[in-house]
Amino acid sequence: MTEILKVTGLSKVYSGKVTTRALTDIQLTIHKGEFVGVMGPSGSGKTTLLNMVSTIDTPSSGDVLINGHNPHLLKKKDLAAFRRRELGFVFQDFNLLDTLTVAENIVLPLTLDRQKLSDIEQKLAQVAERLGITDILNKRTYEISGGQRQRAAIARAIIPGPSLLLADEPTGALDSNSSRIVMETLEKLNQTDAATMMLVTHDPQAASYCHRVVFIKDGVLSGEIHRGESRQAFFQKIIEMLSFLGGNAHELSSIRV
Ligand code: ADP
Ligand code: MG
């Protein structure tokens, strides 16, 4: 099986007035077509891990390989191109530009890559159809719902055909119905396109769509569980694991069933 992401011996120490050891000796491999969730209490190192993988920040030690390449060794200019082609990003706050239409937002990475207009139009039509947003392509981002915005953001993330889709709390700003639609959309992309995804979330309902969930506590990987047949049973297992690891009450209070 192809290893899309291979993280070995990854540690991160933030030094400043106080020194924070945010990650310690993380090992994580994600194979092609896997849908992996990363969970853990607030401050456990989830975003730090995602930032090392997405090359937003650099590790103190250890390696990150994406499709066999270490992006942290690339020069700035090559890194920008690598990120645009290999990685897709989905954020909690959508990160869409409200001066552009939905369509213009979605094709932005292709425009930046100077692709041919006819190719861009064809890819746009395909991806919009897949995400069920064809009828809102000409709207502005403030004219559509949160769930539609997140589906537009997912369309923008996948349109270049990245090897790995990274999502940090993609349902964090959505109501339960929109969250469900967004997670079903990601699940469908994973099933039909074998899209490889890493989802950071503190929402057990969202995590229950993954194949596998790994848990971080105090910067250390502290276990993983796999989904069987039933998503509902997986949801229960996730809740049990979180309470075992001692996630704080505030985070568990945001559970949506
Ligand atoms: P999570 O996403 O799981 O809530 P983070 O990865 O954001 O956790 O944070 C992990 C730890 O690293 C926390 O103790 C946090 O305070 C610290 N941290 C995160 N980013 C920085 C930074 N830029 N500088 C210093 N400390 C940081
Ligand atoms: Mg975080």
Side-chain angles (χ1 to χ4, degrees), residues 8 11 44 60 67 75 95 106 128 189 199 209 246:
T8 44
S11 298
S44 58
S60 302
N67 245 336
K75 297 212 176 67
N95 229 4
I106 294 172
L189 282 174
L199 165 79
Y209 285 86

Side-chain angles (χ1 to χ4, degrees), residues 43-239:
S44 58
K46 303 181 297 292
T47 296
T48 301
L49 174 60
L50 201 72
N51 288 348
M52 305 289 117
V53 171
S54 66
T55 72
I56 286 172
D57 202 353
T58 47
S60 302
S61 59
D63 286 318
V64 173
L65 293 183
I66 295 166
N67 245 336
H69 301 282
N70 185 341
H72 292 284
L73 300 178
L74 295 173
K75 297 212 176 67
K76 211 171 174 184
K77 184 171 139 276
D78 298 332
L79 179 60
F82 180 87
R83 286 174 57 149
R84 243 190 348 258
R85 290 182 191 140
E86 299 284 339
L87 299 174
F89 298 95
V90 179
F91 304 94
Q92 170 167 348
D93 59 1
F94 322 124
N95 229 4
L96 298 168
L97 300 173
D98 55 17
T99 51
L100 303 181
T101 64
V102 169
E104 287 162 347
N105 267 286
I106 294 172
V107 303
L108 206 53
L110 306 184
T111 314
L112 291 173
D113 223 16
R114 299 211 174 90
Q115 296 198 8
K116 259 173 55 192
L117 199 58
S118 55
D119 289 351
I120 292 181
E121 277 168 0
Q122 194 201 343
K123 286 178 188 172
L124 173 64
Q126 252 173 24
V127 86
E129 161 98 59
R130 187 157 305 164
L131 295 184
I133 50 174
T134 304
D135 52 336
I136 55 162
L137 285 178
N138 294 320
K139 293 200 191 263
R140 304 267 159 185
T141 57
Y142 48 80
E143 296 173 309
I144 60 175
S145 71
Q148 287 172 325
R149 281 183 213 177
Q150 196 56 298
R151 278 184 284 155
I154 293 168
R156 183 187 54 189
I158 64 167
I159 202 166
S163 307
L164 181 63
L165 187 66
L166 300 168
D168 196 357
E169 303 282 2
T171 61
L174 302 177
D175 61 48
S176 63
N177 194 43
S178 300
S179 291
R180 185 177 51 74
I181 293 169
V182 162
M183 290 315 302
E184 284 171 359
T185 303
L186 289 175
E187 184 178 49
K188 204 170 90 194
L189 282 174
N190 172 255
Q191 288 168 349
T192 55
D193 299 7
T196 310
M197 303 195 277
M198 177 170 155
L199 165 79
V200 168
T201 185
H202 68 261
D203 176 354
Q205 196 65 42
S208 69
Y209 285 86
C210 298
H211 298 151
R212 170 160 67 107
V213 176
V214 301
F215 294 85
I216 305 192
K217 191 182 181 189
D218 300 330
V220 179
L221 277 192
S222 353
E224 66 173 42
I225 55 176
H226 292 253
R227 177 170 157 186
E229 284 301 298
S230 145
R231 193 171 67 78
Q232 198 55 40
F234 193 40
F235 173 71
Q236 289 302 333
K237 263 172 47 180
I238 291 168
I239 300 281

